[in-house]
Amino acid sequence: MNESAAGQRTRQALLIAGGASFVLGVATLLWPGRDESTLALMFGISLLVGAGVQTYLGFRSRIAVVLGLLVLVSAALTAVLAVLSFGGGSIELLAWWIGLGWAVRGVVQALVGVWDEQISDGWLHEISGLVTLAIGVAIIAITFKTVTGLATVAGGALVVIGVLDLLTGGLLRAGAFAGRDAAVVDARPVSER
């Protein structure tokens, strides 16, 4: 089954976003001497990467026009939240901006997964979107008093979101196809290699 060029671009964008989220989440969890400005920088970058990927997908994916506009509105809102995160403020405000950015992204991802018939594995987009929404709402609902508390919970959440993006982007599928192709090559007689 050949995937369309738009589908390949969508998968690549999700793989990039997932990899960046995973790395930023691990860095947030392991960063020595974390302070509020470090968290603001890490999560601002995370939201900015998310906004960039959403903008790319809004323009380049083959989704319905209404869904494309919804993705672009989500990207704009996420970019605003990224800028607010870079500005710092209190731990509570930072948690609220992060949670709101993830909640909006989760809603849009789930809606695209439900409504767009051209997306392969739409169910995976739905699940990933709903989990991202739940994580965003949880981050908003929890009252964080310390930098360590926010870094631990939100950093772990960022790792989970990164893994979801990698899975949605087809990381396992790519590995399965590579393994299948290698098995086909190895099945040939030695004289044909």
Side-chain angles (χ1 to χ4, degrees):
M1 175 173 102
N2 289 336
E3 188 175 25
S4 70
Q8 289 174 354
R9 286 191 299 265
T10 299
R11 288 189 181 283
Q12 290 169 350
L14 286 170
L15 290 171
I16 290 168
S21 295
F22 184 83
V23 168
L24 284 169
V26 169
T28 301
L29 288 170
L30 301 178
W31 195 278
R34 296 176 288 219
D35 61 4
E36 193 174 312
S37 61
T38 302
L39 286 185
L41 177 66
M42 295 276 205
F43 289 114
I45 290 170
S46 163
L47 291 172
L48 205 54
V49 168
V53 169
Q54 289 177 42
T55 301
Y56 176 81
L57 294 175
F59 284 117
R60 300 290 294 181
S61 292
R62 288 188 162 181
I63 56 178
V65 174
V66 173
L67 291 177
L69 290 175
L70 185 61
V71 170
L72 291 174
V73 167
S74 171
L77 180 57
T78 303
V80 168
L81 292 168
V83 170
L84 291 172
S85 292
F86 285 133
S90 69
I91 295 294
E92 293 84 13
L93 277 176
L94 183 59
W96 198 82
W97 292 325
I98 296 164
L100 183 59
W102 289 342
V104 167
R105 178 181 171 210
V107 167
V108 171
Q109 186 175 9
L111 287 175
V112 169
V114 169
W115 285 343
D116 192 2
E117 296 174 3
Q118 296 179 359
I119 290 181
S120 63
D121 299 334
W123 63 273
L124 194 52
H125 288 267
E126 292 173 45
I127 292 171
S128 179
L130 291 174
V131 171
T132 302
L133 168 63
I135 289 171
V137 169
I139 296 293
I140 292 170
I142 297 171
T143 303
F144 294 99
K145 298 292 184 190
T146 65
V147 170
T148 302
L150 178 60
T152 302
V153 173
L158 194 53
V159 168
V160 171
I161 290 170
V163 168
L164 287 172
D165 283 347
L166 289 169
L167 293 174
T168 305
L171 183 65
L172 291 180
R173 175 185 284 181
F177 286 135
R180 185 194 69 199
D181 293 342
V184 170
V185 169
D186 289 341
R188 292 182 304 158
V190 176
S191 62
E192 292 181 15
R193 289 187 199 171

